[in-house]
Amino acid sequence: MKDIDRRLFMKLAGVAGGALLVRPDFALAGDIDTVSIAWMTDPVTWDPNQRLAPDPQTVLKMLFDQPLNQTADLELVPNVVTQWKLADDARSLHVVLRDDVTFSDGTPLTAEDFRFTFFERLQRGDEIDLIVGFGVVSDIEVVSPVEAVMRFKDPFPTAPQWLGFSASYIVSKAYAEKVGVEGMQTAPMGSGPYVLKEYRRDSRIVFVRRDDYWGDLPSVRQITFEIIPDPTARLAALESGTVDIALELSIRDVKRLQQGTAFNAIANPIARIIYVTVRADGAFADHNVRLAAHKAIDKATLSRAFFGGDAVTIDVPTIPGMPGNPQDFAFAYDPEGAVELLATSGHGPDKPVKLGFATTNGQFPGDYDLARAIVTMWRKVGIEASLTVITEAQWYELNATGKLPDASLFVWENGTGDPELFAGHMFNQDLPFSTYRTEEVTARVQLLFSEPDYETRIRGYEDLNAYLVEEGAIIPLLQAIQTIGFRKGLNFKPWSNGLVLPGAITPA
């Protein structure tokens, strides 16, 4: 992934406020009747504000619009919101909306819908993940049908990023009040470029393009998502012609497709990290065990074995080129050091520490095999891990109920390019994503959440990231790679946030 320069991240952090920018321009070279995509998981809900999980966002963005969009390299650009200005103290954000946006039922989208989405839904107690980012909103003043001012209880320096991040889709106030919470979850209606034509749970999703869409029309008239959890089956669907695009294939299969003549394939480094979560209790209550588990993992070997060496190894919970990455910090692979740490705590190959370890299988390329390799590396130094397979949805459920195993292999998406959405949300125990939960870590994170000065905040995250690794609170492994195979006759432009956008699919 190319490094994103500091000026871009200054924009993303909102220190210069928002400017009127040009919307991303998707050139249309003619229409495509239909495109079928082999996809990993079904959305657990059609309420676009309900879940922050990364994979459903591609599906939801077919139906719903966000206030802000991103370019392929994560720069914030206008969408429904054309102008935005963050106050110097980060306690308010002034936004101006387009005046020509309509929902698919023909009704106009106005500042009242903006207020309903980002304030009223939270006030009335809707159980939506949107509260994670926007729970700090104290009010939204509607100045006119196309103008509003968001006001915050505490400084909210990343408010602009959140307006272009997961779950931040504008919903129709009138429609939500008409169908209720259950209707939002089962019968979606938004202002996006497509409408839902057919839906079979855990099987198929069919979208048809809105030719009255207010924005640039995508090339594809109909997009079908075939839900295929197994990566081998996704590859088979592509090679048989059942689908036109397949996501999250093995890197080995991508290399093979690249050498053939029938398909194109991409290995796209994205703004996600692969890491091992750690709990602060159970087997990992011992600091020596936590550090030993990290020292025992040969990340370079994992990259070579499962990603052809293309996956960049990481030592802190962020990726190269993003702010918050402390310079000259490294955590070395040191299996002998791991053995020494375990011996200090009375463990070793003949008396292993035992722990639970969960992984997904097919959620991202090589996840299950990666987890098995880690189990083998741990066994060599004196850690015996019992591996279980779970889904992404189960990970969230188990974590929310305190039943997640001692460790889990997981992938974390941060399409904003700001460290708050990496370490900040991973380690604030008041949020639903934290696995390593301590008062000390949470206190450090919460100070950074309300720091309005960009430079101070970024230095704080650099210090926090180094501390988290030295504390053994996380085991960062690799920058995630999104693998995409697609048939000849299509052009596909990958995005650094990992989304598959309809406007990115064009005729070859």
Side-chain angles (χ1 to χ4, degrees), residues 188-219:
M189 195 281 293
S191 64
Y194 290 84
V195 294
L196 184 62
K197 176 184 178 182
E198 177 188 343
Y199 177 51
R200 302 179 201 170
R201 167 63 67 182
D202 296 324
S203 177
R204 174 177 292 180
I205 311 169
V206 182
F207 298 106
V208 175
R209 188 179 69 188
R210 286 179 58 195
D211 287 338
D212 65 342
Y213 180 56
W214 61 271
D216 295 329
L217 283 182
S219 297

Short mmCIF file of all heavy atoms in Angstrom, two decimals, residues 188-219:
data_model
loop_
_atom_site.label_atom_id
_atom_site.label_comp_id
_atom_site.label_asym_id
_atom_site.label_seq_id
_atom_site.Cartn_x
_atom_site.Cartn_y
_atom_site.Cartn_z
N PRO A 188 -35.14 -2.71 3.89
CA PRO A 188 -34.33 -1.50 3.77
C PRO A 188 -34.82 -0.56 2.68
O PRO A 188 -35.32 -0.98 1.64
CB PRO A 188 -32.95 -2.05 3.44
CG PRO A 188 -33.23 -3.33 2.72
CD PRO A 188 -34.45 -3.90 3.39
N MET A 189 -34.65 0.75 2.93
CA MET A 189 -34.97 1.77 1.93
C MET A 189 -34.02 2.95 2.17
O MET A 189 -34.01 3.52 3.26
CB MET A 189 -36.43 2.22 2.08
CG MET A 189 -36.95 3.02 0.87
SD MET A 189 -36.42 4.77 0.85
CE MET A 189 -37.31 5.43 2.27
N GLY A 190 -33.21 3.27 1.17
CA GLY A 190 -32.24 4.34 1.35
C GLY A 190 -32.17 5.24 0.14
O GLY A 190 -33.01 5.19 -0.77
N SER A 191 -31.14 6.08 0.13
CA SER A 191 -30.95 7.03 -0.97
C SER A 191 -29.83 6.61 -1.90
O SER A 191 -29.40 7.38 -2.74
CB SER A 191 -30.66 8.43 -0.41
OG SER A 191 -29.42 8.42 0.30
N GLY A 192 -29.32 5.38 -1.74
CA GLY A 192 -28.18 4.92 -2.51
C GLY A 192 -28.51 4.57 -3.96
O GLY A 192 -29.66 4.70 -4.41
N PRO A 193 -27.51 4.10 -4.70
CA PRO A 193 -27.68 3.90 -6.15
C PRO A 193 -28.47 2.66 -6.54
O PRO A 193 -28.79 2.50 -7.71
CB PRO A 193 -26.23 3.79 -6.64
CG PRO A 193 -25.46 3.30 -5.46
CD PRO A 193 -26.12 3.92 -4.26
N TYR A 194 -28.80 1.79 -5.58
CA TYR A 194 -29.53 0.56 -5.90
C TYR A 194 -30.71 0.38 -4.94
O TYR A 194 -30.76 0.97 -3.86
CB TYR A 194 -28.61 -0.67 -5.80
CG TYR A 194 -27.58 -0.74 -6.89
CD1 TYR A 194 -26.37 -0.04 -6.77
CD2 TYR A 194 -27.80 -1.47 -8.05
CE1 TYR A 194 -25.42 -0.08 -7.78
CE2 TYR A 194 -26.85 -1.52 -9.06
CZ TYR A 194 -25.66 -0.82 -8.92
OH TYR A 194 -24.73 -0.86 -9.93
N VAL A 195 -31.64 -0.47 -5.36
CA VAL A 195 -32.74 -0.92 -4.49
C VAL A 195 -32.66 -2.44 -4.40
O VAL A 195 -32.12 -3.10 -5.30
CB VAL A 195 -34.13 -0.49 -5.02
CG1 VAL A 195 -34.28 1.02 -4.96
CG2 VAL A 195 -34.37 -1.01 -6.43
N LEU A 196 -33.19 -2.98 -3.31
CA LEU A 196 -33.16 -4.42 -3.10
C LEU A 196 -34.28 -5.08 -3.89
O LEU A 196 -35.46 -4.79 -3.69
CB LEU A 196 -33.31 -4.72 -1.60
CG LEU A 196 -33.21 -6.19 -1.20
CD1 LEU A 196 -31.83 -6.75 -1.53
CD2 LEU A 196 -33.51 -6.33 0.30
N LYS A 197 -33.91 -5.99 -4.79
CA LYS A 197 -34.88 -6.68 -5.63
C LYS A 197 -35.23 -8.05 -5.05
O LYS A 197 -36.39 -8.47 -5.06
CB LYS A 197 -34.34 -6.85 -7.04
CG LYS A 197 -35.24 -7.65 -7.98
CD LYS A 197 -34.59 -7.84 -9.34
CE LYS A 197 -35.45 -8.68 -10.27
NZ LYS A 197 -34.78 -8.91 -11.58
N GLU A 198 -34.22 -8.76 -4.55
CA GLU A 198 -34.44 -10.13 -4.05
C GLU A 198 -33.48 -10.39 -2.91
O GLU A 198 -32.33 -9.95 -2.94
CB GLU A 198 -34.19 -11.13 -5.19
CG GLU A 198 -34.32 -12.59 -4.78
CD GLU A 198 -33.87 -13.54 -5.87
OE1 GLU A 198 -33.77 -13.10 -7.05
OE2 GLU A 198 -33.60 -14.72 -5.56
N TYR A 199 -33.97 -11.11 -1.90
CA TYR A 199 -33.10 -11.45 -0.78
C TYR A 199 -33.46 -12.82 -0.22
O TYR A 199 -34.61 -13.08 0.13
CB TYR A 199 -33.23 -10.41 0.34
CG TYR A 199 -32.40 -10.74 1.57
CD1 TYR A 199 -31.05 -11.05 1.45
CD2 TYR A 199 -32.98 -10.75 2.83
CE1 TYR A 199 -30.29 -11.36 2.56
CE2 TYR A 199 -32.23 -11.04 3.95
CZ TYR A 199 -30.88 -11.35 3.81
OH TYR A 199 -30.13 -11.66 4.92
N ARG A 200 -32.47 -13.71 -0.21
CA ARG A 200 -32.61 -15.02 0.41
C ARG A 200 -31.53 -15.14 1.47
O ARG A 200 -30.34 -15.15 1.14
CB ARG A 200 -32.46 -16.14 -0.62
CG ARG A 200 -33.46 -16.09 -1.77
CD ARG A 200 -33.21 -17.24 -2.72
NE ARG A 200 -33.77 -17.00 -4.04
CZ ARG A 200 -33.52 -17.77 -5.10
NH1 ARG A 200 -32.72 -18.81 -4.98
NH2 ARG A 200 -34.08 -17.48 -6.27
N ARG A 201 -31.94 -15.22 2.71
CA ARG A 201 -31.01 -15.25 3.84
C ARG A 201 -29.92 -16.30 3.62
O ARG A 201 -30.18 -17.45 3.28
CB ARG A 201 -31.79 -15.52 5.12
CG ARG A 201 -30.97 -15.89 6.34
CD ARG A 201 -30.02 -14.79 6.78
NE ARG A 201 -30.70 -13.60 7.27
CZ ARG A 201 -30.04 -12.50 7.67
NH1 ARG A 201 -28.74 -12.45 7.58
NH2 ARG A 201 -30.71 -11.45 8.10
N ASP A 202 -28.65 -15.86 3.80
CA ASP A 202 -27.47 -16.72 3.70
C ASP A 202 -27.32 -17.37 2.32
O ASP A 202 -26.64 -18.39 2.19
CB ASP A 202 -27.48 -17.81 4.78
CG ASP A 202 -27.39 -17.25 6.18
OD1 ASP A 202 -26.67 -16.25 6.35
OD2 ASP A 202 -28.05 -17.79 7.09
N SER A 203 -27.94 -16.78 1.31
CA SER A 203 -27.85 -17.36 -0.02
C SER A 203 -27.59 -16.32 -1.11
O SER A 203 -26.56 -16.38 -1.78
CB SER A 203 -29.14 -18.13 -0.34
OG SER A 203 -29.11 -18.65 -1.65
N ARG A 204 -28.51 -15.39 -1.27
CA ARG A 204 -28.41 -14.47 -2.42
C ARG A 204 -29.02 -13.11 -2.10
O ARG A 204 -30.05 -13.02 -1.43
CB ARG A 204 -29.11 -15.08 -3.63
CG ARG A 204 -29.21 -14.16 -4.83
CD ARG A 204 -29.86 -14.86 -6.01
NE ARG A 204 -29.00 -15.91 -6.53
CZ ARG A 204 -29.31 -16.69 -7.55
NH1 ARG A 204 -30.46 -16.53 -8.17
NH2 ARG A 204 -28.48 -17.61 -7.98
N ILE A 205 -28.36 -12.05 -2.62
CA ILE A 205 -28.86 -10.69 -2.52
C ILE A 205 -28.80 -10.08 -3.92
O ILE A 205 -27.73 -10.10 -4.55
CB ILE A 205 -28.03 -9.83 -1.56
CG1 ILE A 205 -27.83 -10.54 -0.21
CG2 ILE A 205 -28.69 -8.47 -1.35
CD1 ILE A 205 -26.79 -9.86 0.67
N VAL A 206 -29.90 -9.56 -4.40
CA VAL A 206 -29.94 -8.98 -5.75
C VAL A 206 -30.34 -7.51 -5.66
O VAL A 206 -31.38 -7.17 -5.08
CB VAL A 206 -30.93 -9.73 -6.66
CG1 VAL A 206 -30.91 -9.12 -8.06
CG2 VAL A 206 -30.59 -11.22 -6.71
N PHE A 207 -29.52 -6.65 -6.24
CA PHE A 207 -29.79 -5.21 -6.28
C PHE A 207 -30.01 -4.76 -7.72
O PHE A 207 -29.32 -5.23 -8.63
CB PHE A 207 -28.61 -4.42 -5.71
CG PHE A 207 -28.31 -4.70 -4.26
CD1 PHE A 207 -27.21 -5.45 -3.91
CD2 PHE A 207 -29.12 -4.21 -3.26
CE1 PHE A 207 -26.91 -5.70 -2.59
CE2 PHE A 207 -28.84 -4.46 -1.93
CZ PHE A 207 -27.74 -5.21 -1.59
N VAL A 208 -30.94 -3.84 -7.89
CA VAL A 208 -31.20 -3.24 -9.21
C VAL A 208 -30.91 -1.75 -9.12
O VAL A 208 -31.31 -1.07 -8.17
CB VAL A 208 -32.65 -3.49 -9.65
CG1 VAL A 208 -32.93 -2.77 -10.97
CG2 VAL A 208 -32.92 -4.98 -9.81
N ARG A 209 -30.23 -1.24 -10.14
CA ARG A 209 -29.83 0.17 -10.16
C ARG A 209 -31.03 1.10 -10.22
O ARG A 209 -32.00 0.84 -10.93
CB ARG A 209 -28.92 0.42 -11.35
CG ARG A 209 -28.26 1.80 -11.37
CD ARG A 209 -27.37 1.95 -12.58
NE ARG A 209 -28.14 1.99 -13.83
CZ ARG A 209 -27.60 1.96 -15.03
NH1 ARG A 209 -26.28 1.86 -15.17
NH2 ARG A 209 -28.37 2.01 -16.11
N ARG A 210 -30.95 2.17 -9.47
CA ARG A 210 -31.93 3.26 -9.56
C ARG A 210 -31.51 4.21 -10.67
O ARG A 210 -30.52 4.93 -10.53
CB ARG A 210 -31.96 4.06 -8.25
CG ARG A 210 -32.63 3.44 -7.08
CD ARG A 210 -32.51 4.40 -5.88
NE ARG A 210 -33.10 5.70 -6.15
CZ ARG A 210 -32.89 6.78 -5.41
NH1 ARG A 210 -32.08 6.73 -4.38
NH2 ARG A 210 -33.48 7.92 -5.71
N ASP A 211 -32.24 4.25 -11.74
CA ASP A 211 -31.87 5.18 -12.81
C ASP A 211 -32.22 6.62 -12.46
O ASP A 211 -31.81 7.54 -13.18
CB ASP A 211 -32.53 4.76 -14.12
CG ASP A 211 -31.88 3.51 -14.71
OD1 ASP A 211 -30.71 3.23 -14.35
OD2 ASP A 211 -32.53 2.81 -15.50
N ASP A 212 -32.97 6.81 -11.34
CA ASP A 212 -33.25 8.16 -10.87
C ASP A 212 -32.30 8.56 -9.73
O ASP A 212 -32.56 9.54 -9.03
CB ASP A 212 -34.70 8.28 -10.40
CG ASP A 212 -35.01 7.41 -9.17
OD1 ASP A 212 -34.23 6.47 -8.89
OD2 ASP A 212 -36.02 7.69 -8.47
N TYR A 213 -31.22 7.81 -9.57
CA TYR A 213 -30.27 8.13 -8.51
C TYR A 213 -29.71 9.53 -8.70
O TYR A 213 -29.38 9.94 -9.83
CB TYR A 213 -29.14 7.10 -8.50
CG TYR A 213 -28.10 7.33 -7.44
CD1 TYR A 213 -28.45 7.41 -6.09
CD2 TYR A 213 -26.75 7.46 -7.77
CE1 TYR A 213 -27.48 7.62 -5.11
CE2 TYR A 213 -25.78 7.66 -6.81
CZ TYR A 213 -26.15 7.74 -5.47
OH TYR A 213 -25.20 7.95 -4.51
N TRP A 214 -29.58 10.24 -7.59
CA TRP A 214 -29.17 11.65 -7.64
C TRP A 214 -27.71 11.83 -8.08
O TRP A 214 -27.32 12.87 -8.60
CB TRP A 214 -29.36 12.31 -6.29
CG TRP A 214 -28.53 11.66 -5.20
CD1 TRP A 214 -28.90 10.61 -4.41
CD2 TRP A 214 -27.21 12.01 -4.82
NE1 TRP A 214 -27.87 10.27 -3.56
CE2 TRP A 214 -26.82 11.12 -3.78
CE3 TRP A 214 -26.30 12.97 -5.24
CZ2 TRP A 214 -25.58 11.18 -3.17
CZ3 TRP A 214 -25.04 13.03 -4.62
CH2 TRP A 214 -24.70 12.14 -3.59
N GLY A 215 -26.87 10.81 -7.83
CA GLY A 215 -25.44 10.93 -8.12
C GLY A 215 -25.05 10.29 -9.44
O GLY A 215 -25.90 10.01 -10.29
N ASP A 216 -23.77 10.07 -9.62
CA ASP A 216 -23.27 9.42 -10.83
C ASP A 216 -23.76 7.97 -10.87
O ASP A 216 -23.60 7.23 -9.90
CB ASP A 216 -21.73 9.44 -10.85
CG ASP A 216 -21.18 10.84 -10.97
OD1 ASP A 216 -21.85 11.68 -11.58
OD2 ASP A 216 -20.08 11.09 -10.44
N LEU A 217 -24.33 7.59 -12.00
CA LEU A 217 -24.85 6.23 -12.13
C LEU A 217 -23.70 5.24 -12.32
O LEU A 217 -22.83 5.44 -13.17
CB LEU A 217 -25.79 6.12 -13.32
CG LEU A 217 -27.20 6.69 -13.17
CD1 LEU A 217 -27.98 6.44 -14.46
CD2 LEU A 217 -27.92 6.04 -11.99
N PRO A 218 -23.69 4.15 -11.53
CA PRO A 218 -22.71 3.11 -11.80
C PRO A 218 -23.01 2.42 -13.12
O PRO A 218 -24.12 2.51 -13.65
CB PRO A 218 -22.89 2.13 -10.62
CG PRO A 218 -24.01 2.65 -9.79
CD PRO A 218 -24.55 3.89 -10.40
N SER A 219 -22.03 1.71 -13.65
CA SER A 219 -22.20 1.05 -14.94
C SER A 219 -23.10 -0.17 -14.87
O SER A 219 -23.75 -0.52 -15.85
CB SER A 219 -20.82 0.61 -15.48
OG SER A 219 -20.00 1.71 -15.71
#
